[in-house]
Amino acid sequence: MPAPHDAHGAPLVAAGARCERYHARIVRPVSGPDIENGTVVVEGERISYVGVRAAAPPGNDVELGDVILGPGLVNAHTHLDLTALRGRFEGLTFFAWIRALTAARAALSPEQLLDSARDGIREGLRAGITTFADTAPNDAPFAAMIELGVRGIAYRELFGPDPAQCDAAMAGLRETMAAMRSRETPLVSCGVSPHAPYSVSDELFSAVALFANEERLPLATHVAESIDESRLVADGDGEFAAFLRGRGIAVASRGRTPIEMLERNGVLGAHALLIHCVRCDDSDIATILKHRCGVATCPVSNSTLGHGSARVQAMVLENVRLGVGTDSMASNVRMDVLAESRIALGARTTERTAWELATLGGARALGLDHVIGTLQVGKQADLAAFPNGADPGAPSRASFVAVAGRAVDLRT
């Protein structure tokens, strides 16, 4: 069998790369139908064959057993540095939750934040997650992803609700991003994250969006999450508005909806990941689609914090680039992307559809679907296997995981 090549004739796998044949009761490529008694062949860090075992090229055999072998799962929104805060803030209103969370994070040392991020990654790997899209105002998730060899985007979070803070915030962001970009790896890249409409002024949103476009950086922001956020943007009212006025920051209407406000400030585009999008009407969804934005829905977190549910079915019908995230463990009980996907799609969804949202959906939302998200020749060998016939209501537990062709030790 000839080695696979790209459209320009260049080899897709390195010459002399080790050839591993992963055999499974079911191979789920996501890009096509399930394959009974299938095999995925990996050479180096790329997939070189997906199909029936009988036709697979020779190589080193790895028997995975009675499992479903698919692409590694994509967690389209995390706060890995907050893993240590699981269960700390139950029963609080959203505003009170944010205030308590901010104070608790500030009390953690850099080493504690790093340990928290490491724990989050290990938990995710055990649940079959190989790609993490993380937002944080510190270095911990970026460093932990690089250290543990997972794939990810580390969006550096910044804040500044007062327009007077804009210049200083941007100076700090430019310095931080220059340092982060010098540490990027083939697996882990960086981006920017103006936090949310209640913590970022229009001036800062515009400045970050311009910077991201100039530097070709991905951008993520929390938006259309809560009623109070919508009241702040549309009416200059609510708890967030009162808090900002208490700090001497002028508050006025900034747009019909948070999505409209982001559009006016130049934030929307194919590079943008919009997190939550619970409070989106038809016009907002049309705007998201027009600008080709990615969306990360976080159903368990949204329910925990009393926000309601995003209009997932409407977004799916409109072919919005939709992925699913777990958010932080400060608003969730476990990092389980397959469970989140089932919840997001509803009780009548099929397992294959849930897998698609948890893999290809997340890859599309992050602009990584040319690299990961399906089992196809030439793509990166990010793999996850789960016991065949496992109870979909039970926590997801992977029996095998590989990132870029490297098998991960799930015992740690």
Side-chain angles (χ1 to χ4, degrees):
M1 184 178 191
H5 289 70
D6 65 17
H8 305 288
L12 289 171
V13 295
R18 181 177 174 85
C19 181
E20 303 282 1
R21 308 191 329 158
Y22 293 104
H23 306 297
R25 176 70 179 81
I26 297 172
V27 168
R28 180 162 288 165
V30 173
S31 54
D34 288 357
I35 302 166
E36 298 276 345
N37 297 314
T39 296
V40 176
V41 178
V42 174
E43 295 185 56
E45 63 185 30
R46 293 184 182 270
I47 297 168
S48 62
Y49 173 87
V50 181
V52 296
R53 177 170 184 158
N60 181 53
D61 290 315
V62 181
E63 303 288 351
L64 298 179
D66 188 15
V67 300
I68 301 173
L69 174 62
L73 307 183
V74 178
N75 195 338
H77 178 55
T78 64
H79 294 277
L80 293 167
D81 61 324
L82 301 179
T83 305
L85 302 180
R86 190 193 322 258
R88 292 268 296 272
F89 312 111
E90 295 179 1
L92 297 180
T93 66
F94 185 47
F95 181 81
W97 179 84
I98 287 176
R99 299 290 292 156
L101 182 67
T102 301
R105 174 191 260 159
L108 296 176
S109 69
E111 188 57 36
Q112 287 173 318
L113 290 166
L114 181 58
D115 282 342
S116 183
R118 289 168 175 148
D119 288 344
I121 291 170
R122 292 183 181 115
E123 179 179 348
L125 284 168
R126 289 191 295 269
I129 299 165
T130 55
T131 297
F132 300 79
D134 190 86
T135 62
N138 56 65
D139 192 62
F142 185 51
M145 286 192 284
I146 292 172
E147 175 188 321
L148 296 180
V150 296
R151 191 179 304 278
I153 303 173
Y155 297 94
R156 180 53 66 97
E157 224 166 23
L158 77 161
F159 305 80
D162 188 340
Q165 299 171 301
C166 182
D167 289 345
M170 287 306 302
L173 180 65
R174 290 187 182 95
E175 182 178 346
T176 297
M177 294 312 299
M180 289 181 71
R181 295 187 90 171
S182 70
R183 296 162 56 204
E184 287 183 319
T185 72
L187 291 177
V188 184
S189 60
C190 58
V192 295
S193 179
H195 176 252
Y198 50 82
S199 56
V200 175
S201 66
D202 284 13
E203 289 81 358
L204 186 53
F205 266 127
S206 294
V208 175
L210 180 62
F211 174 70
N213 283 328
E214 290 175 344
E215 297 295 320
R216 302 179 66 84
L217 287 165
L219 179 151
T221 188
H222 305 77
V223 67
E225 183 178 6
S226 70
I227 293 173
D228 260 336
E229 178 198 320
S230 294
R231 290 180 65 192
L232 169 69
V233 171
D235 305 318
D237 196 9
E239 276 194 287
F240 288 121
F243 173 74
L244 293 174
R245 287 193 179 99
R247 292 180 55 186
I249 300 171
V251 177
S253 174
R254 297 159 66 184
R256 186 184 68 83
T257 68
I259 296 295
E260 182 183 273
M261 180 272 292
L262 291 185
E263 182 180 39
R264 180 171 52 78
N265 286 305
V267 174
L268 305 186
H271 68 296
L273 178 70
L274 308 181
I275 303 160
H276 298 304
C277 291
V278 173
R279 302 185 62 78
C280 287
D281 59 21
D282 289 345
S283 178
D284 289 330
I285 292 175
T287 298
I288 291 168
L289 189 63
K290 178 178 73 174
H291 291 282
R292 298 182 294 119
C293 303
V295 171
T297 183
C298 305
V300 173
S301 174
N302 293 154
S303 176
T304 298
L305 296 173
H307 298 322
S309 302
R311 296 176 62 201
V312 168
Q313 293 301 333
M315 293 183 191
V316 170
L317 287 173
E318 294 294 335
N319 201 31
V320 170
R321 292 165 45 215
L322 179 68
V324 67
T326 60
D327 209 338
S328 79
M329 293 301 100
S331 59
N332 209 326
V333 293
R334 64 177 186 266
M335 194 177 298
D336 191 336
V337 168
L338 272 177
E340 299 274 355
S341 185
R342 295 179 186 115
I343 294 167
L345 292 167
R348 289 182 292 179
T349 193
T350 67
E351 273 298 283
R352 291 194 73 256
T353 302
W355 275 61
E356 181 174 351
L357 180 59
T359 55
L360 180 57
R364 290 182 66 221
L366 301 178
L368 296 176
D369 50 307
H370 62 296
V371 179
I372 58 169
T374 59
L375 301 182
Q376 291 178 277
V377 172
K379 282 195 172 184
Q380 289 278 296
D382 290 8
L383 313 174
F386 297 87
N388 185 27
D391 179 2
S396 302
R397 183 64 188 257
S399 58
F400 171 80
V401 169
V403 181
R406 179 186 62 84
V408 176
D409 185 354
L410 299 177
R411 297 170 296 179
T412 59

